[in-house]
Short mmCIF file of all heavy atoms in Angstrom, two decimals:
data_model
loop_
_atom_site.label_atom_id
_atom_site.label_comp_id
_atom_site.label_asym_id
_atom_site.label_seq_id
_atom_site.Cartn_x
_atom_site.Cartn_y
_atom_site.Cartn_z
N GLY I 19 -213.06 133.25 59.09
CA GLY I 19 -213.37 131.83 58.93
C GLY I 19 -214.83 131.64 58.56
O GLY I 19 -215.72 132.24 59.20
N ILE I 20 -215.09 130.85 57.53
CA ILE I 20 -216.45 130.62 57.08
C ILE I 20 -216.70 129.11 56.99
O ILE I 20 -216.05 128.41 56.20
CB ILE I 20 -216.70 131.24 55.69
CG1 ILE I 20 -216.35 132.73 55.68
CG2 ILE I 20 -218.15 131.02 55.25
CD1 ILE I 20 -216.49 133.38 54.31
N PRO I 21 -217.61 128.57 57.79
CA PRO I 21 -217.95 127.14 57.65
C PRO I 21 -218.38 126.84 56.22
O PRO I 21 -219.15 127.60 55.61
CB PRO I 21 -219.09 126.95 58.64
CG PRO I 21 -218.86 128.01 59.68
CD PRO I 21 -218.34 129.20 58.91
N THR I 22 -217.89 125.76 55.69
CA THR I 22 -218.08 125.48 54.26
C THR I 22 -219.54 125.34 53.86
O THR I 22 -219.92 125.69 52.74
CB THR I 22 -217.29 124.22 53.87
OG1 THR I 22 -217.43 124.00 52.48
CG2 THR I 22 -217.78 122.99 54.62
N ASP I 23 -220.41 124.85 54.76
CA ASP I 23 -221.81 124.68 54.38
C ASP I 23 -222.51 126.02 54.16
O ASP I 23 -223.51 126.09 53.45
CB ASP I 23 -222.56 123.84 55.41
CG ASP I 23 -222.41 124.36 56.83
OD1 ASP I 23 -221.29 124.73 57.22
OD2 ASP I 23 -223.42 124.37 57.58
N PHE I 24 -221.97 127.10 54.74
CA PHE I 24 -222.58 128.42 54.54
C PHE I 24 -222.39 128.91 53.11
O PHE I 24 -223.13 129.78 52.65
CB PHE I 24 -221.96 129.45 55.49
CG PHE I 24 -222.28 129.25 56.95
CD1 PHE I 24 -221.72 130.06 57.91
CD2 PHE I 24 -223.15 128.24 57.36
CE1 PHE I 24 -222.01 129.89 59.26
CE2 PHE I 24 -223.44 128.05 58.70
CZ PHE I 24 -222.87 128.88 59.65
N LEU I 25 -221.38 128.38 52.41
CA LEU I 25 -221.10 128.85 51.06
C LEU I 25 -222.18 128.42 50.08
O LEU I 25 -222.41 129.10 49.07
CB LEU I 25 -219.73 128.35 50.59
CG LEU I 25 -218.53 128.84 51.39
CD1 LEU I 25 -217.26 128.18 50.88
CD2 LEU I 25 -218.41 130.37 51.31
N ARG I 26 -222.83 127.30 50.34
CA ARG I 26 -223.89 126.81 49.46
C ARG I 26 -225.29 127.18 49.97
O ARG I 26 -226.28 127.02 49.25
CB ARG I 26 -223.79 125.30 49.29
CG ARG I 26 -222.57 124.86 48.47
CD ARG I 26 -222.64 123.37 48.12
NE ARG I 26 -221.62 123.01 47.14
CZ ARG I 26 -220.39 122.60 47.45
NH1 ARG I 26 -220.03 122.52 48.72
NH2 ARG I 26 -219.53 122.28 46.49
N ALA I 27 -225.33 127.66 51.20
CA ALA I 27 -226.62 128.02 51.77
C ALA I 27 -227.10 129.35 51.21
O ALA I 27 -226.33 130.16 50.70
CB ALA I 27 -226.50 128.11 53.29
N GLU I 28 -228.42 129.59 51.30
CA GLU I 28 -228.96 130.88 50.89
C GLU I 28 -228.52 131.95 51.87
O GLU I 28 -228.53 131.76 53.09
CB GLU I 28 -230.49 130.81 50.84
CG GLU I 28 -231.14 132.10 50.36
CD GLU I 28 -232.65 131.98 50.26
OE1 GLU I 28 -233.17 130.86 50.44
OE2 GLU I 28 -233.30 133.01 50.01
N ALA I 29 -228.11 133.11 51.33
CA ALA I 29 -227.61 134.19 52.19
C ALA I 29 -228.20 135.51 51.73
O ALA I 29 -228.12 135.86 50.55
CB ALA I 29 -226.08 134.25 52.13
N THR I 30 -228.79 136.24 52.66
CA THR I 30 -229.25 137.59 52.36
C THR I 30 -228.09 138.56 52.60
O THR I 30 -227.04 138.19 53.12
CB THR I 30 -230.44 137.97 53.25
OG1 THR I 30 -230.01 137.96 54.61
CG2 THR I 30 -231.58 136.98 53.06
N ASP I 31 -228.33 139.84 52.25
CA ASP I 31 -227.25 140.82 52.40
C ASP I 31 -226.90 141.03 53.86
O ASP I 31 -225.74 141.09 54.23
CB ASP I 31 -227.64 142.14 51.73
CG ASP I 31 -226.47 143.09 51.60
OD1 ASP I 31 -225.35 142.71 51.99
OD2 ASP I 31 -226.65 144.20 51.11
N GLY I 32 -227.90 141.15 54.71
CA GLY I 32 -227.63 141.31 56.13
C GLY I 32 -226.72 142.48 56.43
O GLY I 32 -225.94 142.42 57.37
N SER I 33 -226.78 143.53 55.64
CA SER I 33 -225.85 144.64 55.78
C SER I 33 -226.04 145.33 57.12
O SER I 33 -227.15 145.54 57.58
CB SER I 33 -226.06 145.64 54.64
OG SER I 33 -225.15 146.69 54.73
N ALA I 34 -224.92 145.66 57.74
CA ALA I 34 -224.97 146.36 59.03
C ALA I 34 -223.92 147.46 59.03
O ALA I 34 -222.79 147.24 58.64
CB ALA I 34 -224.70 145.38 60.18
N SER I 35 -224.34 148.64 59.42
CA SER I 35 -223.39 149.75 59.46
C SER I 35 -222.58 149.69 60.74
O SER I 35 -223.02 149.13 61.74
CB SER I 35 -224.13 151.08 59.35
OG SER I 35 -225.02 151.22 60.45
N GLU I 36 -221.40 150.31 60.68
CA GLU I 36 -220.51 150.31 61.84
C GLU I 36 -219.94 151.71 61.97
O GLU I 36 -219.57 152.34 60.97
CB GLU I 36 -219.38 149.31 61.61
CG GLU I 36 -218.82 148.75 62.89
CD GLU I 36 -217.73 147.73 62.59
OE1 GLU I 36 -218.07 146.60 62.21
OE2 GLU I 36 -216.55 148.08 62.72
N PRO I 37 -219.87 152.27 63.16
CA PRO I 37 -219.33 153.62 63.30
C PRO I 37 -217.87 153.69 62.84
O PRO I 37 -217.11 152.76 63.05
CB PRO I 37 -219.45 153.91 64.81
CG PRO I 37 -219.56 152.55 65.44
CD PRO I 37 -220.24 151.68 64.45
N THR I 38 -217.54 154.77 62.20
CA THR I 38 -216.18 154.97 61.74
C THR I 38 -215.32 155.47 62.89
O THR I 38 -215.69 156.44 63.58
CB THR I 38 -216.13 156.00 60.59
OG1 THR I 38 -216.96 155.53 59.54
CG2 THR I 38 -214.71 156.18 60.08
N GLU I 39 -214.19 154.81 63.10
CA GLU I 39 -213.29 155.22 64.17
C GLU I 39 -212.59 156.52 63.78
O GLU I 39 -212.07 156.65 62.68
CB GLU I 39 -212.26 154.13 64.44
CG GLU I 39 -211.34 154.45 65.61
CD GLU I 39 -210.32 153.36 65.84
OE1 GLU I 39 -209.50 153.10 64.94
OE2 GLU I 39 -210.33 152.77 66.93
N GLN I 40 -212.61 157.47 64.67
CA GLN I 40 -211.95 158.74 64.42
C GLN I 40 -211.04 159.07 65.59
O GLN I 40 -211.30 158.70 66.73
CB GLN I 40 -212.96 159.86 64.21
CG GLN I 40 -213.82 159.68 62.96
CD GLN I 40 -214.75 160.86 62.76
OE1 GLN I 40 -214.98 161.66 63.67
NE2 GLN I 40 -215.29 160.97 61.56
N PHE I 41 -209.97 159.79 65.28
CA PHE I 41 -209.08 160.25 66.33
C PHE I 41 -209.61 161.55 66.93
O PHE I 41 -210.24 162.36 66.23
CB PHE I 41 -207.67 160.50 65.77
CG PHE I 41 -207.03 159.28 65.19
CD1 PHE I 41 -206.89 159.13 63.81
CD2 PHE I 41 -206.55 158.28 66.00
CE1 PHE I 41 -206.29 158.02 63.28
CE2 PHE I 41 -205.96 157.15 65.47
CZ PHE I 41 -205.83 157.03 64.11
N HIS I 42 -209.35 161.73 68.22
CA HIS I 42 -209.63 163.03 68.81
C HIS I 42 -208.68 164.05 68.18
O HIS I 42 -207.47 163.80 68.08
CB HIS I 42 -209.43 162.98 70.32
CG HIS I 42 -210.42 162.09 71.02
ND1 HIS I 42 -211.77 162.38 71.06
CD2 HIS I 42 -210.27 160.93 71.70
CE1 HIS I 42 -212.41 161.44 71.74
NE2 HIS I 42 -211.52 160.54 72.12
#
């Protein structure tokens, strides 16, 4: 869900890494 006002607002990449889930 994205509030509609965010679509016209300035947005940086804000990239964030996430650990990859692995099976034992």
Side-chain angles (χ1 to χ4, degrees):
I20 305 176
T22 183
D23 53 317
F24 292 176
L25 297 176
R26 290 190 169 90
E28 183 177 353
T30 63
D31 192 2
S33 182
S35 61
E36 208 178 283
T38 302
E39 183 181 62
Q40 295 183 344
F41 299 107
H42 294 294

